Amino acid sequence: MSRTVAESEPLMEQETRLSESQPAAAGTVRPGGRTAKVRRAVLEATEDALAATGFHALNMDHVAASAGVGKTTVYRRWGSPVGLVADLLRDMADRSLPASDTGSLAGDLRANAGLVLKTLTDPRMGAVFRAVIAAAACDEECAEALNGFYRARLEEWAPVIKRGAARGEIPPDTDGLELLRAVSAPLYYRFMITREPLGPEHAEQAVRAALTAAGGGVFTRP
Amino acid sequence: MSRTVAESEPLMEQETRLSESQPAAAGTVRPGGRTAKVRRAVLEATEDALAATGFHALNMDHVAASAGVGKTTVYRRWGSPVGLVADLLRDMADRSLPASDTGSLAGDLRANAGLVLKTLTDPRMGAVFRAVIAAAACDEECAEALNGFYRARLEEWAPVIKRGAARGEIPPDTDGLELLRAVSAPLYYRFMITREPLGPEHAEQAVRAALTAAGGGVFTRP
């Protein structure tokens, strides 16, 4: 991940609830160190704000106050609301959950669709996802970070497809990422585009449609 | 369509380039009348602004100036930027293009996917769609209008599925709207969610995946 200018400079503000930690040395970001704690507090406050009021109302001063971090730190390190959203997305990519291994491709894809469904229908996380997708529509840095989040998630789940192909459950030359996209797309489509109700029946249908198409060779590489 | 309070009141401002038209009588909206011309000019200016700078920068005063319509009219009739976007979506729903009739279901679905692809990859319309979807993430009135737009579009294309089923190209009890959603979802997913490149190969794959799943009975009603 590229580092910001602020991360290369010594932290100067001490007006923070986190001041019991030692400031990180210039140019270092230790996990659990002060810089990491400040980032964690600011990204949690950003997520809270996105869940509560969405991207259009995201306010740097409120995030700083809610995180207990000095405004100057937040402005210097993140720059703008889109800087906060982009960093939140990079953090979400780093924290992406490992893929399932249920023993069958259908089982793994059901687990995958179930996770997507659970996230999008969760009142807090659904609102956060709507907000970061809206932010990406408004800003190129957020769009790249959103793309990076989904790339990380797809790569995390790619082994599921390889194992399924090795077990002969789909054609061996299936493009695994295309199959994974086919599972998620119908759920996001209802959630974000057509704004239609989303339930377990749609997750199940998405898995069946993706597996049927894969079995028919639709996702095999040319 | 529900009418706004402003539409039930006589128009009082005359500070407009459209003032050569006669004001509509209170409570009437004649196609081609002054109220309709004002709406057309304001919605075109809204679309221009969304294409140029997105939803987050949509400004009522700029839209009024660019439409050559008095600010007071715009504020009274549309109320806010989200009011403009919601009305633009209602207008887009009314202007939804009729469905294709190529003689085969695959041909009609290819035409459908081609239209979606053309719209989303068009620099102007792609930006407008990103903006209205982002607006819907921020505001419930926009979300309902977005849902209405896609409902109108799906209903417009539903006969394509009925004709395909009558010709025996898919199982007779196929849920046509689900099949149509399956064609669009992968294209919107790349365009709006994962922010990945989108090309004719994805439109073709979406059609093949949807038809294969439909042929396998995935979209038949329970």
Side-chain angles (χ1 to χ4, degrees):
Chain A
M1 195 193 312
S2 67
R3 302 181 45 225
T4 64
V5 171
E7 283 172 314
S8 309
E9 290 169 1
L11 288 163
M12 289 192 290
E13 295 91 309
Q14 302 296 332
E15 72 282 27
T16 155
R17 288 204 296 261
L18 300 165
S19 56
E20 67 279 8
S21 320
Q22 290 300 306
T28 69
V29 182
R30 288 174 292 121
R34 183 169 179 277
T35 301
K37 282 187 185 170
V38 166
R39 183 176 182 228
R40 169 82 8 246
V42 167
L43 295 185
E44 272 174 19
T46 300
E47 203 175 276
D48 289 345
L50 291 177
T53 51
F55 171 63
H56 65 304
L58 189 62
N59 179 294
M60 303 282 281
D61 293 0
H62 294 172
V63 166
S66 156
V69 168
K71 281 187 205 181
T72 328
T73 301
V74 174
Y75 278 93
R76 199 179 47 183
R77 184 156 168 195
W78 285 276
S80 66
V82 298
L84 286 172
V85 171
D87 198 35
L88 175 63
L89 280 162
R90 287 187 284 263
D91 183 57
M92 287 164 69
D94 292 342
R95 289 183 291 132
S96 187
L97 286 173
S100 299
D101 188 0
T102 63
S104 80
L105 179 59
D108 290 347
L109 293 183
R110 277 194 183 99
N112 186 337
L115 270 179
V116 173
L117 176 70
K118 191 179 162 198
T119 302
L120 300 184
T121 56
D122 178 78
R124 176 186 169 87
M125 289 315 294
V128 170
F129 271 81
R130 278 219 174 97
V132 297
I133 295 165
C138 302
D139 177 84
E140 205 42 47
E141 186 192 353
C142 287
E144 280 169 31
L146 189 68
N147 174 269
F149 168 76
Y150 286 105
R151 206 168 47 231
R153 195 179 183 282
L154 285 168
E155 281 164 15
E156 192 77 64
W157 282 79
V160 152
I161 311 296
K162 281 201 185 118
R163 288 195 300 264
R167 285 187 298 254
E169 295 173 272
I170 44 171
D173 48 352
T174 298
D175 181 334
L177 301 190
E178 279 304 291
L179 174 48
L180 288 168
R181 289 183 186 101
V183 172
S184 292
L187 310 182
Y188 277 94
Y189 184 66
R190 285 179 164 270
F191 170 75
M192 191 74 195
I193 312 295
T194 61
R195 303 299 298 251
E196 295 175 289
L198 179 60
E201 68 276 29
H202 305 116
E204 175 62 21
Q205 182 178 267
V207 170
R208 288 180 58 217
L211 276 174
T212 305
V218 173
F219 303 126
T220 53
R221 290 189 190 81
Chain B
M1 195 194 313
S2 69
R3 303 189 35 231
T4 64
V5 171
E7 284 174 315
S8 310
E9 291 170 0
L11 287 163
M12 289 192 293
E13 295 89 310
Q14 302 295 332
E15 71 284 27
T16 157
R17 287 205 294 263
L18 300 165
S19 56
E20 68 280 8
S21 319
Q22 289 301 305
T28 68
V29 181
R30 287 175 291 120
R34 182 170 177 279
T35 301
K37 282 188 185 169
V38 165
R39 183 176 182 230
R40 170 81 8 244
V42 167
L43 295 186
E44 272 174 20
T46 300
E47 204 176 275
D48 289 344
L50 291 176
T53 51
F55 171 62
H56 65 302
L58 189 62
N59 179 294
M60 303 283 280
D61 293 0
H62 295 173
V63 166
S66 155
V69 169
K71 282 188 204 181
T72 327
T73 302
V74 175
Y75 278 94
R76 198 179 50 185
R77 184 156 168 195
W78 285 276
S80 66
V82 299
L84 287 172
V85 171
D87 198 35
L88 175 63
L89 280 162
R90 286 187 285 264
D91 183 56
M92 287 163 69
D94 291 343
R95 288 183 291 132
S96 188
L97 286 174
S100 299
D101 188 0
T102 63
S104 80
L105 179 58
D108 289 348
L109 293 183
R110 277 194 183 99
N112 187 336
L115 269 180
V116 173
L117 176 70
K118 191 179 162 195
T119 302
L120 300 184
T121 56
D122 177 78
R124 177 188 168 87
M125 288 316 293
V128 169
F129 271 81
R130 279 221 173 96
V132 298
I133 295 165
C138 303
D139 177 83
E140 205 43 48
E141 185 191 355
C142 287
E144 281 170 30
L146 189 68
N147 173 268
F149 168 76
Y150 286 107
R151 204 167 49 232
R153 195 179 184 282
L154 285 168
E155 282 164 13
E156 192 77 62
W157 282 80
V160 153
I161 312 295
K162 281 201 184 117
R163 287 195 300 263
R167 285 187 297 253
E169 296 172 271
I170 44 171
D173 48 352
T174 298
D175 182 334
L177 301 190
E178 279 303 293
L179 174 47
L180 288 168
R181 289 183 187 102
V183 171
S184 292
L187 309 182
Y188 277 95
Y189 183 67
R190 285 180 162 269
F191 170 75
M192 191 75 194
I193 312 295
T194 62
R195 302 300 298 253
E196 295 174 290
L198 179 60
E201 68 276 28
H202 305 115
E204 175 62 22
Q205 182 179 266
V207 170
R208 288 181 58 217
L211 276 173
T212 306
V218 173
F219 302 127
T220 53
R221 291 189 190 79

